[in-house]
Amino acid sequence: MLDHSGQIAAAGAGAHEALEAKHAAREATLIASRRAIRSCAMAIRAIHRREFREARELIAVAAAYLSELDTAVAEHPDIRYTGYVHDAKKEFVEANLTLAFVGGHVLPTADELGVDVQAYLNGMAEAASELRRQVLDCLRADDVAEAERLLAVMDDVYAVLITVDYPDALTGGLRRTTDALRAVLERTRGDVTTALVAARLRASMDQSGGRPGA
């Protein structure tokens, strides 16, 4: 009768080795993803303050963390496609596209950012939602033209995203993100419309010596 004890022990040792490597990759990925997300959040705050140089530096820090993440999961595709990896890359896209939208720069592509299309589209939707704060800041500063430009960007993003009609399992939950953008877009459109009407009323009053409709 064949003694399987040696084979069983070898199988157990092999399993321990494989799982230990996977666990180490998972831990490294969690740490890198959290740090990347934090750097991206700080970059977006810097963009809202119009501190673009600081934003670029923070985005570069996030890119370094994502490079660590990609290295950690290179041999573990089951970890690569987990939620926290997707979230980190989505936040990276959001920071990059928010900077491009606000600064009026060319948009980096998904390939240039090293992300998949799901993270790119979801990050684009969230970047468009971030523009609401910029629009409100512009309205407070009486910069209606810039507010209208940013609103048009939000509108363009939404117009593209609603054409992506695939199951959520393929898009990373894009439908929910797009629905959230639609709500933000409509509120923002209302704010810009109100500001435009008020500006025209003020102009009319100025021309008529303070008598609206005169």
Side-chain angles (χ1 to χ4, degrees):
M1 185 72 68
L2 180 63
D3 183 359
H4 293 100
S5 60
Q7 293 174 311
I8 293 170
H16 277 292
E17 182 178 350
L19 291 173
E20 183 61 33
K22 194 174 293 295
H23 176 68
R26 179 179 181 276
E27 291 300 303
T29 301
L30 280 169
I31 292 171
S33 64
R34 290 189 191 113
R35 290 175 176 171
I37 289 170
R38 183 169 59 248
S39 295
C40 290
M42 293 170 63
I44 291 170
R45 286 197 291 271
I47 293 166
H48 285 310
R49 298 192 302 268
R50 299 275 174 156
E51 296 173 355
F52 297 141
R53 180 175 179 179
E54 180 182 350
R56 291 189 187 94
E57 291 172 353
L58 288 163
I59 287 171
V61 170
Y65 287 132
L66 289 182
S67 179
E68 293 178 12
L69 183 154
D70 286 335
T71 299
V73 302
E75 298 181 5
H76 304 280
D78 51 336
I79 296 176
R80 176 184 295 276
Y81 296 107
T82 54
Y84 49 85
V85 172
H86 171 79
D87 288 345
K89 297 206 169 188
K90 177 187 67 176
E91 294 296 320
F92 184 63
V93 173
E94 180 183 351
N96 276 279
L97 297 194
T98 301
L99 178 60
F101 288 151
V102 175
H105 308 308
V106 174
L107 296 186
T109 66
D111 287 342
E112 288 169 343
L113 296 179
V115 303
D116 59 32
V117 68
Q118 294 92 333
Y120 190 82
L121 292 178
N122 279 278
M124 178 183 287
E126 295 194 359
S129 291
E130 282 291 335
L131 296 184
R132 173 172 170 76
R133 176 173 170 179
Q134 284 291 312
V135 169
L136 296 178
D137 287 345
C138 289
L139 294 178
R140 281 191 286 269
D142 289 328
D143 190 352
V144 178
E146 177 67 359
E148 287 187 291
R149 182 188 75 82
L150 294 171
L151 177 64
V153 171
M154 296 173 70
D155 218 355
D156 288 344
V157 170
Y158 178 71
V160 168
L161 295 181
I162 59 173
T163 69
V164 184
D165 188 19
Y166 298 96
D168 280 353
L170 294 180
T171 64
L174 181 63
R175 184 174 289 110
R176 292 189 299 274
T177 314
T178 303
D179 287 345
L181 171 59
R182 179 180 61 190
V184 173
L185 174 60
E186 292 310 315
R187 291 201 306 274
T188 308
R189 194 191 312 280
D191 292 330
V192 172
T193 300
T194 299
L196 284 170
V197 170
R200 289 167 184 164
L201 179 60
R202 286 196 302 270
S204 175
M205 292 176 67
D206 289 344
Q207 290 174 359
S208 61
R211 297 187 307 276

